[in-house]
Amino acid sequence: MEIDWFKIILIYWRYVVQSYDSKEFQLEFNYDQKDLGSTYTKEYTVFKVWAPTAEEMKIMLYEEGMGDNFTLSENMVQGDSGVWSIILQGDLNGTYYTYRVKIDGVEQEVVDPYAKAVGANGIRGMVIDLSTTNPKGWRETVKPSFHKSTDAIIYELHIRDLSADVSSGIQHKGKYLGLAETNTKNKKGLPTGLDHIKELGVTHVHLIPCYDYNSLDETMFLGISIDKATNELPYNWGYDPLNYNALEGSYATDPFHGEVRILEFKQMIQALHKKGIRVIMDMVYNHTAMTKDSNFNKLVPEYYYRTKDGEFTDGSACGNETASERFMMRKFIIDSVLYYATEYQIDGFRFDLMGLHDIETMNAIRNAVDQVDYSILLYGEGWTGGDSPLAEEERALKANVSKLIGVAAFSDDIRDSIKGSVFNKQEKGFVNGAINKKEMIKMGVTGAVKHKQLHKSISCWSPSPTQTINYVSAHDDLTLWDKLLSSVPNGTKEDLVQMNKLAAAIVMASQGIPFLQAGEEFLRSKPANVENTEYISNSYKSPDSVNSIKWNQKSENIKVFQYYRGLIAFRKAHSLLRMTTATELQQQLHFLPCWNKSVIAFELKDEKEHIVIIYNGNPNSKYVCIPNGDWTVYINSQQAGTEPIAKFKGRLVQTDPISCLVLVRELNDCL
Ligand code: CA
């Protein structure tokens, strides 16, 4: 009788060692090849799935992505490292498939975690000939040039929010294709959608989840234009991952045919790249929508998740947390990121609850993407959603950013010190009346990088401006405008607009990478009622009427939009705002003496130019002492941009109430 060593090892592991983290298990079962999932050729397709503890594995083929149309089932064979495989002859492009896995005598059907295409609701994978999913000119479309991460200006967007409202003038409402449309206008004829994003001047669009998520019934979205069913179709942000390597179907014109969402997503990326805008995906590898019944867990029970005393732990506050420190989970994340970076030409990745990923995994991702494109941006939330068994020193937390290489973290410090805490809607920040935020704003100015002029009590966490994301609003929590309305209930619109503009100026003139929520640039709001007395902070499943961008507000608040556009243009025109090292920052950034608790002034200086930036959070005008010289004003309370607004000569400059003042002088002439 032939001895089945594989089975013996498995039995030994299962009954004696009983740990996925044991050396024995890792030596025997860690699999490092790049061929998991389905590998298509015209003549045959190879299927491979990792499931070391399975007793049997079958492949199941179907004609469609759902329904009673099963065609074939075949036994797969287990080979090295616990990988089951089968080769099926013929051209299987468009064939739907699942695996039927048997563990401890129980059979369950699962979707291949590596599935690149899926049918409606992601309940079956699909074999795909990816070469047929490229839009015309795909291979010829070059990525917009991009040199260093602090050149980025990131615009955070939900696909559906962009186009769902009738005021968008966009035809493909709520769809990937809606973001690919050009020449779209609001009621007053101002650009909307993609043209608007281009007009604003941002460099990157950051899309909140577009991978296949679980919460929406995609069958409701066939060919439907969102405006015809406003408030009838369910809505979700999508932070509940189902199939990481396949795309969400509700944003496709046809969720039933797996290839359609791929083609339309690529058309959208192509349209953005053609406009000179790069694309970032928001990836939620830290947890899955389902726990016990997820594809991961049905294939290899408890392997992909952290557990404690036999229970799934919940560091995400969403029911589970993945175990990035385990070899095959880490490999899955790296493979998935590389797949999007290569097949879809994605230019950056945002990691949800990055603090749940271990530092080694994040650095391994950086290392892997650098082989493809070193200009890919990587950043994430440097916190967790709850307690985790992963040791604090191993977590990719904000406090551990110095252990990360080429990975940035969001600065909740600048966010909350500008406008007040996100956890208390009444709390104020620097722009809306708090007088105790000065030192924290100064830390924001340095991008949370250590600086000799910062107060001793301030703990800086970033080793370099390239590792800090500065922002004042994102999809989570109140929009900036709603936070101002809530924290200054008796303020006039004029006052609040000044606060908003100062907030934007602080983000745009700080060292680091600026980030804004779509619509912030014209006072986006999510009112909870028609009286506009309450605002929704967690609108993850609120209807389109709450979430969608209302494009006529662009006309109503055109001056705010122009101010944002001017701030962006100014940032792009002055490299002193985009330093990349702590050393540069120590040499070229100096705070100017100023005793008022709500005034901050600093200068940036290199051999070419000298910039003075002043933030006045007071409701009245202030005088600030600046270096003597012939100055040109480019930003004040009313305007921002690259065109001179006024000249100033002397030392004592006056700022308007609640405003930013920026003066520049060229140094070439002085040499
Ligand atoms: Ca879905």
Side-chain angles (χ1 to χ4, degrees):
M1 195 185 84
E2 201 181 320
I3 300 169
D4 189 340
W5 285 108
F6 189 84
K7 276 237 162 86
I8 290 170
I9 289 165
L10 193 60
I11 289 164
Y12 169 74
W13 170 77
R14 191 177 270 180
Y15 296 103
V16 182
V17 182
Q18 287 189 320
S19 166
Y20 289 128
D21 301 314
S22 67
K23 259 196 193 126
E24 290 85 349
F25 183 87
Q26 296 191 52
L27 274 173
E28 193 59 36
F29 299 117
N30 286 354
Y31 182 72
D32 61 2
Q33 300 299 302
K34 297 277 178 202
D35 56 358
L36 291 176
S38 65
T39 306
Y40 167 89
T41 71
K42 264 205 162 13
E43 293 74 36
Y44 61 88
T45 297
V46 185
F47 298 86
K48 289 196 175 183
V49 58
W50 185 72
T53 61
E55 289 142 29
E56 270 176 38
M57 185 78 74
K58 288 190 186 100
I59 186 150
M60 315 281 288
L61 299 188
Y62 297 87
E63 276 171 29
E64 293 171 19
M66 52 174 35
D68 189 10
N69 43 55
F70 166 74
T71 56
L72 177 92
S73 126
E74 293 268 0
N75 285 322
M76 298 173 80
V77 178
Q78 196 173 32
D80 290 346
S81 307
V83 172
W84 298 79
S85 66
I86 189 168
I87 300 173
L88 294 179
Q89 298 299 322
D91 185 347
L92 296 189
N93 184 29
T95 302
Y96 290 87
Y97 74 102
T98 59
Y99 299 126
R100 201 165 172 84
V101 57
K102 188 173 171 185
I103 296 173
D104 289 336
V106 179
E107 285 192 41
Q108 295 192 87
E109 206 162 338
V110 303
V111 181
D112 186 349
Y114 276 81
K116 301 179 186 94
V118 293
N121 291 343
I123 56 173
R124 286 174 193 161
M126 190 186 98
V127 178
I128 182 88
D129 175 0
L130 285 164
S131 69
T132 62
T133 63
N134 294 338
K136 206 167 157 246
W138 173 252
R139 293 200 189 284
E140 292 73 47
T141 310
V142 288
K143 283 184 165 209
S145 66
F146 180 65
H147 303 291
K148 58 183 204 283
S149 55
T150 49
D151 289 349
I153 299 163
I154 301 171
Y155 191 73
E156 187 207 40
L157 179 69
H158 183 289
I159 289 285
R160 199 158 134 185
D161 292 353
L162 181 86
S163 53
D165 193 67
V166 67
S167 62
S168 70
I170 291 169
Q171 203 187 339
H172 291 96
K173 292 187 172 59
K175 304 294 183 189
Y176 297 122
L177 291 179
L179 178 51
E181 283 180 39
T182 56
N183 297 317
T184 60
K185 296 191 175 4
N186 71 2
K187 205 164 77 185
K188 291 257 170 81
L190 295 179
T192 63
L194 177 55
D195 286 354
H196 166 84
I197 298 169
K198 176 73 184 169
E199 185 187 14
L200 181 60
V202 295
T203 62
H204 288 66
V205 164
H206 156 147
L207 298 167
I208 75 168
C210 290
Y211 56 74
D212 181 26
Y213 58 81
N214 186 50
S215 52
L216 299 184
D217 178 0
E218 297 178 357
T219 64
M220 299 170 77
F221 289 81
L222 177 65
I224 289 219
S225 181
I226 299 292
D227 62 323
K228 297 208 175 77
T230 299
N231 297 341
E232 289 168 24
L233 284 171
Y235 174 99
N236 210 281
W237 283 345
Y239 289 88
D240 55 336
L242 186 60
N243 296 293
Y244 287 106
N245 293 351
L247 297 161
E248 168 58 18
S250 66
Y251 305 143
T253 58
D254 176 357
F256 290 93
H257 295 90
E259 69 281 12
V260 177
R261 56 186 84 178
I262 298 176
L263 171 68
E264 292 177 352
F265 191 69
K266 284 182 173 175
Q267 284 177 297
M268 177 197 78
I269 291 163
Q270 188 181 34
L272 281 154
H273 280 174
K274 277 185 176 171
K275 285 271 184 192
I277 298 163
R278 289 188 157 219
V279 186
I280 295 164
M281 284 179 81
D282 188 345
M283 297 305 291
V284 186
Y285 294 115
N286 70 78
H287 73 273
T288 53
M290 284 169 278
T291 305
K292 221 167 170 298
D293 295 326
S294 74
N295 297 319
F296 279 151
N297 201 58
K298 284 195 227 167
L299 279 169
V300 195
E302 294 182 16
Y303 176 85
Y304 289 98
Y305 300 91
R306 296 190 186 123
T307 56
K308 198 176 179 184
D309 305 327
E311 299 287 326
F312 289 92
T313 54
D314 190 17
S316 68
C318 294
N320 59 69
E321 60 181 287
T322 55
S324 59
E325 67 279 17
R326 287 214 170 115
F327 187 88
M328 295 303 286
M329 185 66 215
R330 179 178 294 157
K331 171 181 165 57
F332 180 84
I333 298 174
I334 295 169
D335 288 349
S336 176
V337 165
L338 284 179
Y339 172 64
Y340 279 110
T342 51
E343 182 61 33
Y344 290 98
Q345 300 294 305
I346 294 297
D347 306 293
F349 298 88
R350 177 262 194 196
F351 296 85
D352 188 70
L353 299 182
M354 185 171 72
L356 285 177
H357 298 321
D358 64 300
I359 290 165
E360 196 179 332
T361 294
M362 293 312 302
N363 286 336
I365 296 168
R366 176 79 264 170
N367 196 30
V369 297
D370 279 350
Q371 316 302 314
V372 176
D373 176 0
Y374 74 92
S375 71
I376 285 175
L377 286 178
L378 301 179
Y379 57 95
E381 293 181 306
W383 47 80
T384 68
D387 196 23
S388 165
L390 183 68
E392 291 241 0
E393 64 271 19
E394 288 172 36
R395 299 180 193 172
L397 292 169
K398 195 178 71 174
N400 292 332
V401 166
S402 59
K403 296 184 197 166
L404 296 170
I405 302 155
V407 181
F410 283 98
S411 174
D412 52 344
D413 306 296
I414 195 170
R415 178 194 72 192
D416 288 357
S417 50
I418 289 176
K419 65 173 185 180
S421 167
V422 296
F423 301 112
N424 175 354
K425 65 182 182 176
Q426 278 97 18
E427 192 189 297
K428 294 175 166 61
F430 182 84
V431 304
N432 44 350
I435 52 164
N436 58 349
K437 304 289 183 188
K438 182 168 174 170
E439 290 304 319
M440 286 299 286
I441 295 287
K442 284 168 74 176
M443 173 193 174
V445 165
T446 71
V449 175
K450 273 195 191 117
H451 189 282
K452 54 186 178 294
Q453 287 177 286
L454 293 180
H455 195 271
K456 287 194 297 285
S457 64
I458 299 294
S459 54
C460 291
W461 48 267
S462 181
S464 145
T466 59
Q467 289 182 262
T468 308
I469 306 281
N470 293 318
Y471 72 123
V472 66
S473 82
H475 68 278
D476 276 324
D477 309 311
L478 294 173
T479 69
L480 173 56
W481 186 244
D482 292 346
K483 170 71 176 175
L484 294 173
L485 288 166
S486 307
S487 55
V488 193
N490 301 318
T492 64
K493 183 171 180 186
E494 246 182 349
D495 289 343
L496 267 53
V497 162
Q498 288 312 114
M499 294 171 188
N500 192 304
K501 290 196 291 192
L502 176 56
I506 295 172
V507 170
M508 286 298 164
S510 288
Q511 299 298 323
I513 303 169
F515 167 109
L516 71 150
Q517 184 192 21
E520 190 197 293
E521 70 279 19
F522 49 84
L523 313 184
R524 184 174 180 184
S525 180
K526 296 178 187 173
N529 51 32
V530 283
E531 297 83 25
N532 270 13
T533 51
E534 283 290 326
Y535 306 94
I536 299 178
S537 63
N538 187 5
S539 65
Y540 77 101
K541 59 176 186 178
S542 300
D544 287 300
S545 57
V546 171
N547 278 301
S548 65
I549 296 174
K550 313 299 185 294
W551 289 96
N552 290 331
Q553 285 174 356
K554 181 180 176 185
S555 306
E556 291 158 23
N557 304 307
I558 187 70
K559 286 199 166 146
V560 180
F561 165 72
Q562 286 163 346
Y563 197 83
Y564 270 81
R565 193 177 56 166
L567 291 173
I568 289 169
F570 184 84
R571 183 178 173 88
K572 284 176 160 178
H574 298 274
S575 60
L576 275 171
L577 296 178
R578 311 190 307 272
M579 295 177 207
T580 54
T581 65
T583 314
E584 267 180 296
L585 198 137
Q586 304 302 339
Q587 290 166 353
Q588 300 177 337
L589 186 156
H590 301 283
F591 290 96
L592 300 171
C594 106
W595 310 117
N596 187 283
K597 282 185 174 168
S598 295
V599 177
I600 293 163
F602 59 100
E603 58 177 344
L604 307 165
K605 195 174 180 183
D606 62 12
E607 66 280 5
K608 286 193 200 127
E609 64 178 1
H610 191 181
I611 303 175
V612 164
I613 299 178
I614 303 167
Y615 302 137
N616 177 17
N618 293 286
N620 45 26
S621 151
K622 293 286 167 201
Y623 283 94
V624 177
C625 196
I626 65 169
N628 205 12
D630 287 324
W631 296 94
T632 305
V633 176
Y634 284 91
I635 296 172
N636 65 12
S637 64
Q638 300 306 312
Q639 287 181 64
T642 50
E643 295 296 321
I645 300 169
K647 296 281 182 195
F648 175 79
K649 200 178 165 97
R651 294 207 58 178
L652 209 55
V653 69
Q654 188 180 11
T655 70
D656 290 337
I658 315 172
S659 70
C660 172
L661 181 66
V662 177
L663 308 102
V664 181
R665 65 188 186 114
E666 303 288 325
L667 295 181
N668 289 341
D669 297 341
C670 309
L671 295 174

